[in-house]
Amino acid sequence: MTEKDTRAILSFRGISKAFPGVQALNNVSFDVLPGCVHAIVGENGAGKSTLLKIINGLYKADKGEIYLNGKEFIAGGPSDALKAGISMIYQELNIIPDMTVLDNLYLGREKLSKSGIVDKKNMTKEAQGYFKEQGLYFDLDEKMRSLSIAQAQMLEIVKAISVNAKVILMDEPTSSLTENEVDFLFNKIQELKERGITVIYISHKMEEVFAISDHITVLRDGEHINTVPTKDTDVSQVIEMMVGRKMNEVYPKKTSTLGEVMFEVKNFNKKGVFKDINFSVRQGEILGIAGLIGAGRTEIARAIIALDSKDSGDIYIKGKKLTINTVNDSINHGIVLVPEDRRRQGLNLIASIRDNISLVSLKHVFKSAVLNIRGIEKLAKTQSKELQIKAPSLSTKVEKLSGGNQQKTVLGKWLAVEPAVLFLDEPTRGIDVGTKYEIYKLMHDICSQGNSIVLIDSDMEELIGMSDRVIVVCEGEIAGELQKEEINANSIMRLAAVGGQNEHKTA
């Protein structure tokens, strides 16, 4: 699509956008046809989200034009985009935690009564109709902070559908959804296509891109590499265009051998959340924890590090029973958790890379009442270099980084305290294939040093590709354990769905 396609609903011509020290987009030009799913792919930092934010009016392009139905279009903000029929579902959910589901659904477009006050009765009736039509149920009075990431994501999707947009921008919409929820979304996207609605879809999951898209645009380092019909290419060609090199393997080979038992959890219980949790991890081992969303995987990890309470249970490192009453106790014993929601739980977004990386180390590495500025700078430089964090400087605010570089910053913060046991909860959610590979190699490096990793993961292929052993959690209980040669999607899903009724359940 080099010459302007007169059928295009959206046309980009020479779009450029720079931030301090970063050229996010450089002379990007391509067309999007109406009533299709147009995927935009590329590594983190390629400019995908920046382009969508320009369409939506959050950013203004430095150069170039956007045409909507053949007419030049400039959005002064999301409300202008919405009026023009463009709605966006953000990668990092655009919610207000302490507001209700109903208030979030109508945020910025509240219905008013004749007297000019918010008409909650009318909004409630309409919202109930939306959810019934979509086959969903939400307690409209529930606070958003009590919803899971998957539930909040589904609400954002319903919100976009409800405004009758002609173009829907979806930035990593399935990053926290279960397989059934992904199927639900894809069915909705197919319905949108049948109604002539265009979907611009960003995803790092190649299987999704090829399952749902009609065209694929590849961006690399802010530049347009190619736009092709999906049927005319394949995964390997797209990945090669994304990374600028051939990818010979998805998961690096693990060379470290397993040692003695490093870490044990015995008789962990919390009423109504998890029950009789027992497992161990050996030195150099990656233990996968599988299960459907809501099974209790994250809750177990949070209780282990004392972020949440438990009713009973003991933790051992190298056979020694530990006393862990606070997160600081957990860190002191070398047990840390990289959370699934890096923005809300893992980072101070308005602080610098330097401050985020050194945050935990101020107490646990630099054990002094005097702030060690030189030591902090050295630590941040070392972690940034080892993790290849791409940014203009260590003073760059974390909110300005791509998702992959934000995740590397979280990892850098926790690796700085040299943990013996590292819990990784959805560590590559919303991250491109190139950065995923870097994180996989980092995981193997950690294991080669005799440390242990517990991998909580909803990505089935990743779980299978990276784990030495997998335990499956169902409704708060360990439904079974799979050795390396037994790990496959069917075995995991059978245990995850059937749980305690499964014949392979461990004692």
Side-chain angles (χ1 to χ4, degrees):
M1 297 182 184
T2 52
E3 296 297 324
K4 184 175 178 181
D5 195 324
T6 57
R7 301 170 297 161
I9 187 169
L10 276 172
S11 295
F12 304 93
R13 290 295 174 267
I15 300 296
S16 296
K17 177 66 179 177
F19 298 101
V22 178
Q23 185 68 43
L25 293 168
N26 184 28
N27 196 32
V28 171
S29 300
F30 65 95
D31 297 312
V32 177
L33 300 181
C36 75
V37 178
H38 194 114
I40 302 178
V41 301
E43 294 191 90
N44 285 108
K48 307 180 301 296
S49 295
T50 299
L51 184 62
L52 262 59
K53 289 174 181 177
I54 290 173
I55 303 171
N56 198 44
L58 282 173
Y59 295 155
K60 183 179 179 181
D62 298 332
K63 294 180 182 178
E65 300 83 33
I66 297 175
Y67 296 90
L68 178 64
N69 290 317
K71 296 180 180 179
E72 188 171 359
F73 170 71
I74 302 174
S79 60
D80 288 345
L82 203 58
K83 289 175 184 176
I86 299 173
S87 179
M88 182 166 176
I89 300 172
Y90 297 90
Q91 178 179 359
E92 306 298 345
L93 299 177
N94 189 27
I95 63 173
I96 300 179
D98 288 320
M99 290 180 67
T100 66
V101 169
L102 180 68
D103 290 337
N104 270 272
L105 183 63
Y106 284 92
L107 189 63
R109 56 187 187 98
E110 292 83 358
K111 293 184 176 294
L112 302 179
S113 65
K114 291 181 180 180
S115 58
I117 62 174
V118 175
D119 189 347
K120 287 286 185 76
K121 185 176 180 180
N122 190 15
M123 287 161 55
T124 299
K125 183 178 179 181
E126 187 175 79
Q128 288 171 340
Y130 287 145
F131 293 129
K132 184 177 180 180
E133 179 185 344
Q134 304 303 330
L136 295 170
Y137 171 77
F138 282 94
D139 180 350
L140 297 176
D141 295 323
E142 190 172 4
K143 294 289 180 67
M144 287 297 298
R145 70 167 58 256
S146 64
L147 268 59
S148 67
I149 294 177
Q151 289 172 321
Q153 182 70 79
M154 297 307 292
L155 183 65
E156 288 293 295
I157 291 165
V158 172
K159 185 191 296 185
I161 293 171
S162 72
V163 298
N164 295 318
K166 299 301 179 186
V167 178
I168 297 181
L169 315 175
M170 296 186 177
D171 193 352
E172 297 285 353
T174 67
S175 58
S176 298
L177 303 186
T178 64
E179 187 174 343
N180 288 338
E181 289 165 336
V182 172
D183 290 342
F184 168 83
L185 173 62
F186 283 7
N187 288 334
K188 293 303 172 187
I189 290 176
Q190 187 60 41
E191 291 175 14
L192 295 173
K193 283 178 60 177
E194 291 170 359
R195 288 160 50 187
I197 295 171
T198 301
V199 175
I200 298 181
Y201 190 95
I202 290 179
S203 179
H204 291 118
K205 300 178 181 179
M206 288 295 107
E207 68 274 16
E208 288 185 6
V209 169
F210 278 83
I212 200 67
S213 71
D214 300 295
H215 293 87
I216 300 173
T217 287
V218 180
L219 300 181
R220 185 172 74 237
D221 296 330
E223 297 188 354
H224 175 245
I225 302 303
N226 203 358
T227 295
V228 294
T230 306
K231 61 182 177 60
D232 293 342
T233 188
D234 59 33
V235 172
S236 60
Q237 290 175 345
V238 170
I239 291 177
E240 188 174 338
M241 286 189 283
M242 285 170 56
V243 302
R245 63 187 187 278
K246 290 188 176 182
M247 295 286 287
N248 297 320
E249 55 185 9
V250 177
Y251 302 102
K253 293 180 180 178
K254 189 166 181 278
T255 56
S256 60
T257 56
L258 305 187
E260 299 297 319
V261 171
M262 165 73 84
F263 176 76
E264 292 178 274
V265 172
K266 293 185 178 181
N267 305 317
F268 248 53
N269 293 276
K270 184 173 183 178
K271 188 175 181 180
V273 182
F274 51 80
K275 179 182 178 182
D276 296 332
I277 301 300
N278 292 274
F279 66 88
S280 63
V281 194
R282 296 168 67 182
Q283 289 179 311
E285 184 178 27
I286 298 177
L287 173 69
I289 300 186
L292 303 177
I293 289 177
R297 301 169 303 167
T298 296
E299 289 78 4
I300 293 167
R302 287 171 61 91
I304 286 170
I305 66 164
L307 194 59
D308 292 339
S309 64
K310 66 181 187 300
D311 296 331
S312 62
D314 297 313
I315 296 170
Y316 297 79
I317 280 196
K318 294 183 177 179
K320 180 182 177 182
K321 184 177 177 180
L322 307 180
T323 299
I324 298 179
N325 296 318
T326 68
V327 174
N328 280 330
D329 292 338
S330 176
I331 297 169
N332 286 331
H333 288 301
I335 307 166
V336 302
L337 167 66
V338 175
E340 64 173 324
D341 190 340
R342 54 180 170 265
R343 290 176 65 89
R344 287 197 292 179
Q345 301 169 341
L347 294 166
N348 179 353
L349 294 175
I350 61 173
S352 67
I353 296 170
R354 179 192 301 106
D355 290 344
N356 272 276
I357 286 177
S358 62
L359 185 62
V360 182
S361 302
L362 294 178
K363 180 174 182 179
H364 295 274
V365 176
F366 307 117
K367 300 176 186 279
S368 169
V370 180
L371 198 61
N372 188 343
I373 301 297
R374 185 174 296 177
I376 289 171
E377 184 71 18
K378 182 179 178 181
L379 175 73
K381 279 184 178 179
T382 299
Q383 294 299 102
S384 181
K385 182 178 180 181
E386 288 185 359
L387 294 168
Q388 300 179 43
I389 297 173
K390 296 178 182 177
S393 74
L394 292 174
S395 298
T396 302
K397 289 185 177 181
V398 170
E399 65 181 353
K400 301 295 184 183
L401 302 179
S402 67
N405 286 306
Q406 287 181 349
Q407 186 70 346
K408 287 179 180 180
T409 302
V410 179
L411 285 165
K413 175 180 71 174
W414 289 114
L415 292 177
V417 301
E418 299 181 350
V421 182
L422 181 64
F423 281 77
L424 299 175
D425 195 350
E426 308 289 357
T428 66
R429 182 175 69 86
I431 292 176
D432 65 83
V433 290
T435 306
K436 282 184 179 182
Y437 192 81
E438 292 175 18
I439 290 177
Y440 298 154
K441 289 197 294 183
L442 175 64
M443 291 168 65
H444 285 178
D445 288 344
I446 292 168
C447 289
S448 69
Q449 296 167 19
N451 301 312
S452 306
I453 290 176
V454 180
L455 174 62
I456 303 170
D457 211 327
S458 298
D459 186 327
M460 190 72 73
E461 291 185 7
E462 183 171 276
L463 197 69
I464 295 168
M466 291 299 295
S467 301
D468 296 301
R469 184 165 51 95
V470 170
I471 58 175
V472 185
V473 179
C474 178
E475 297 181 351
E477 297 186 60
I478 294 179
E481 178 181 311
L482 300 169
Q483 302 300 321
K484 184 68 176 179
E485 64 276 7
E486 300 173 313
I487 302 172
N488 58 66
N490 287 338
S491 297
I492 292 172
M493 287 308 299
R494 188 166 59 246
L495 287 166
V498 179
Q501 300 175 37
N502 196 286
E503 60 183 88
H504 296 296
K505 184 181 178 183
T506 57

